[in-house]
Amino acid sequence: MKRSLGFFIVILMLVACQQRPVFDDERALEHYQILRAYRTSFPGQHGNDVIRQYILNRLRKGSGLIEEIVQESEGEDGSEPARSILCRFYPQMSRRILFVASYALPGEEGIAERADEIDRSVFNPAIMLEIAEMLSDRVPRQFGVDLIFLDIAPQSETVTGSDPYLDALEGFTERIKPEHGFFLRLRGEGDFKIPIDHQSYQELPHIVDRVWGRAQEAGWALFEQNIVVNRTLAGEE
């Protein structure tokens, strides 16, 4: 799994940088193990705070420009404000690529009932930290890269009214104005396949063709050539 994911990130970074980066899967796995230990040891908001501090400490070792962004809750439930992290690499470059991962957890259910959400809340930030390491070592030729670690969890089901996760993303994209964006929502499971998302192919066929074409040339079978529709996004059960 970790080597397959490394291939995936390398392809994305080739699109961004046109240089051959090196994805250190052992270092990414170490980030994942540390973050997961924090998540299972420190529940609730305290866990978010510990994870955020770890992310900040790691990012400060690199060359990115770091900004902590506090987003006040609009509700009246006494919720703590969200404290997201924006890390910008080569901000002088006008063409931008955006990577987003959430380190927050929705709801208050127990650990056992929420294994998928817990895994995503640490697995994807771990991958983003390795992307930051890669970007600190080489200058992209075409694009600057922005990494957003969101302290807001994606909604697990349809919500009424304003969605804080989507509102936060809209605010970031309006400010950064990226040409392309990648939202990491992977899990650290044993084996997985990456089919072509129908909506992505409809909106950005040249990027999909380029990424999957390079994967096919390299013989990476985890990139499947079939196109699938995300039924959740399509409003189906």
Side-chain angles (χ1 to χ4, degrees), residues 3 94 105 113 120 171 189-190 200 206:
R3 186 169 300 279
S94 59
L105 269 178
E113 294 80 8
R120 286 193 180 100
E189 55 193 9
S200 298
H206 58 294

Side-chain angles (χ1 to χ4, degrees), residues 33-214:
Q33 292 171 334
I34 292 172
L35 291 174
R36 186 169 180 83
Y38 286 155
R39 176 60 73 196
T40 54
S41 299
F42 304 103
Q45 183 60 42
H46 185 36
N48 282 2
D49 294 341
V50 172
I51 287 173
R52 180 175 59 256
Q53 194 57 53
Y54 177 84
I55 293 171
L56 286 169
N57 290 342
R58 297 301 308 184
L59 292 176
R60 286 169 181 152
K61 297 178 183 294
S63 60
L65 298 179
I66 302 167
E67 181 180 349
E68 294 184 67
I69 299 172
V70 179
Q71 297 153 295
E72 297 290 343
S73 172
E74 296 182 359
E76 299 180 355
D77 56 358
S79 300
E80 292 285 332
R83 299 180 183 276
S84 300
I85 302 166
L86 171 62
C87 187
R88 311 200 74 188
F89 290 89
Y90 314 104
Q92 72 276 12
M93 303 181 77
S94 59
R95 301 180 70 189
R96 314 295 303 171
I97 285 183
L98 174 66
F99 287 85
V100 180
S102 170
Y103 68 90
L105 269 178
E108 297 294 337
E109 294 89 347
I111 295 287
E113 294 80 8
R114 311 172 62 209
D116 287 354
E117 287 91 348
I118 289 169
D119 207 51
R120 286 193 180 100
S121 74
V122 295
F123 186 73
N124 297 293
I127 298 306
M128 292 256 286
L129 286 174
E130 177 54 22
I131 293 175
E133 300 270 7
M134 295 163 65
L135 289 167
S136 293
D137 294 337
R138 54 188 48 81
V139 180
R141 295 179 181 177
Q142 294 189 61
F143 294 89
V145 180
D146 299 294
L147 308 179
I148 296 177
F149 297 81
L150 271 181
D151 186 19
I152 302 173
Q155 299 294 329
S156 57
E157 57 186 24
T158 303
V159 296
T160 57
S162 178
D163 183 336
Y165 180 79
L166 295 179
D167 290 346
L169 289 182
E170 182 178 2
F172 280 119
T173 53
E174 286 179 354
R175 171 183 170 183
I176 296 170
K177 296 180 171 57
E179 283 192 30
H180 308 295
F182 298 95
F183 302 88
L184 302 188
R185 287 279 288 152
L186 301 170
R187 291 184 306 186
E189 55 193 9
D191 293 309
F192 71 100
K193 300 294 183 182
I194 306 177
I196 299 172
D197 175 70
H198 179 265
Q199 184 175 357
S200 298
Y201 192 75
Q202 290 277 57
E203 297 183 2
L204 294 167
H206 58 294
I207 291 292
V208 172
D209 287 341
R210 186 174 180 185
V211 170
W212 265 257
R214 292 199 180 192

